[in-house]
């Protein structure tokens, strides 16, 4: 049992830090509630989860994602592709953690205090999660339009990302920010994605 002296030597949580943690927990709970409501048809079906993957804003369909968890304790797997970061225990389930930015040939996502893993929905049949640099919250597709600057010809672009059917739909919001819609159901059909070993 800690003594009074031990307690006194520990730095007390500052009110700002405690308040920030409380707000973050509240935000995550609200986001998860909204995601569950959208999955069960009790919210407008035009909402998608906004995340940062590398330096790109991406949208994930709510019916294709499971939950959001902190990005920690990822155990590397030998002889795996560089974009397959390893395994993590998320609520008692082993999940393969994917760096989708690296998979697309972009620089790796750096794990920081805002990093999260977004698990695939159970219905997709893959115990996987995407590493994201930051969760941006729900975005309403009704407030977006097809990105007029997106290349309509997938063969004209460069790299694997240009030809990937799971990331061809590009959107632009009212602030003129560009978003890539990621179709996880299409991603799990990509033969390269299924080949995590070297």
């Amino acid at each position: 049992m800690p003594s009074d002296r031990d307690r006194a030597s520990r730095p007390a949580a500052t009110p700002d830090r405690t308040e920030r943690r409380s707000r973050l927990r509240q935000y995550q709970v609200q986001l998860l509630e909204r995601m569950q409501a959208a999955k069960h048809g009790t919210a407008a079906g035009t909402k998608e989860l906004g995340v940062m993957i590398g330096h790109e804003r991406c949208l994930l369909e709510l019916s294709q994602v499971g939950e959001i968890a902190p990005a920690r304790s990822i155990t590397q797997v030998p002889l795996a592709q560089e974009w397959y970061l390893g395994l993590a225990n998320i609520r008692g389930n082993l999940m393969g953690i994917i760096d989708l930015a690296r998979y697309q040939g972009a620089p790796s996502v750096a794990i920081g205090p805002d990093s999260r893993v977004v698990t695939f929905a159970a219905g997709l049949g893959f115990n996987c999660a995407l590493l994201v640099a930051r969760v941006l919250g729900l975005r309403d597709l009704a407030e977006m339009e097809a990105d007029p600057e997106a290349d309509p010809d997938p063969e004209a672009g460069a790299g694997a990302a240009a030809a990937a059917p799971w990331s061809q739909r590009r959107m632009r919001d009212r602030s003129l920010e560009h978003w890539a819609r990621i179709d996880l159901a299409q991603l799990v059909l990509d033969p390269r994605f299924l080949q995590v070993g070297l």
Side-chain angles (χ1 to χ4, degrees):
M1 189 164 167
S3 68
D4 290 339
R5 196 170 81 189
D6 290 338
R7 280 192 214 104
S9 66
R10 276 191 226 143
T14 62
D16 287 345
R17 191 174 189 184
T18 304
E19 186 178 327
R20 271 187 270 140
R21 280 187 186 160
S22 175
R23 282 197 312 255
L24 178 60
R25 273 193 217 106
Q26 185 179 13
Y27 169 74
Q28 289 177 327
V29 166
Q30 288 173 345
L31 188 57
L32 286 171
E33 286 172 355
R34 289 180 190 166
M35 287 170 59
Q36 291 300 322
K39 282 184 195 178
H40 294 94
T42 55
T46 62
K47 303 262 189 205
E48 294 198 353
L49 181 64
V51 295
M52 286 293 291
I53 297 179
H55 297 293
E56 187 172 27
R57 288 175 175 79
C58 298
L59 297 167
L60 302 174
E61 189 178 315
L62 291 178
S63 65
Q64 296 181 351
V65 299
E67 63 180 292
I68 301 166
R72 60 176 174 230
S73 301
I74 300 172
T75 303
Q76 289 185 333
V77 175
L79 301 175
Q81 300 285 350
E82 59 187 353
W83 47 265
Y84 188 84
L85 300 180
L87 295 169
N89 184 334
I90 300 175
R91 295 186 192 263
N93 297 307
L94 280 181
M95 298 278 179
I97 308 301
I98 308 299
D99 183 343
L100 193 62
R102 192 76 190 114
Y103 179 76
Q104 294 178 285
S108 297
V109 173
I111 297 178
D114 294 330
S115 301
R116 297 291 181 268
V117 291
V118 179
T119 66
F120 289 31
L124 295 179
F126 278 79
N127 283 354
C128 283
L130 297 181
L131 174 65
V132 301
R134 197 165 71 241
V135 174
L136 302 173
L138 295 179
R139 294 293 185 263
D140 193 345
L141 292 182
E143 297 180 358
M144 295 188 179
E145 62 181 4
D147 189 348
E149 295 177 27
D151 188 351
D153 179 8
E155 301 300 322
W166 46 266
S167 69
Q168 284 186 3
R169 299 186 66 198
R170 306 286 169 167
M171 306 296 288
R172 188 172 71 178
D173 63 20
R174 290 180 179 174
S175 302
L176 304 182
E177 297 287 0
H178 302 277
W179 297 80
R181 293 183 73 196
I182 304 297
D183 186 341
L184 296 180
Q186 286 285 324
L187 177 61
V188 300
L189 298 176
D190 187 334
R192 190 167 73 94
F193 183 78
L194 302 176
Q195 188 59 46
V196 299
L198 291 174

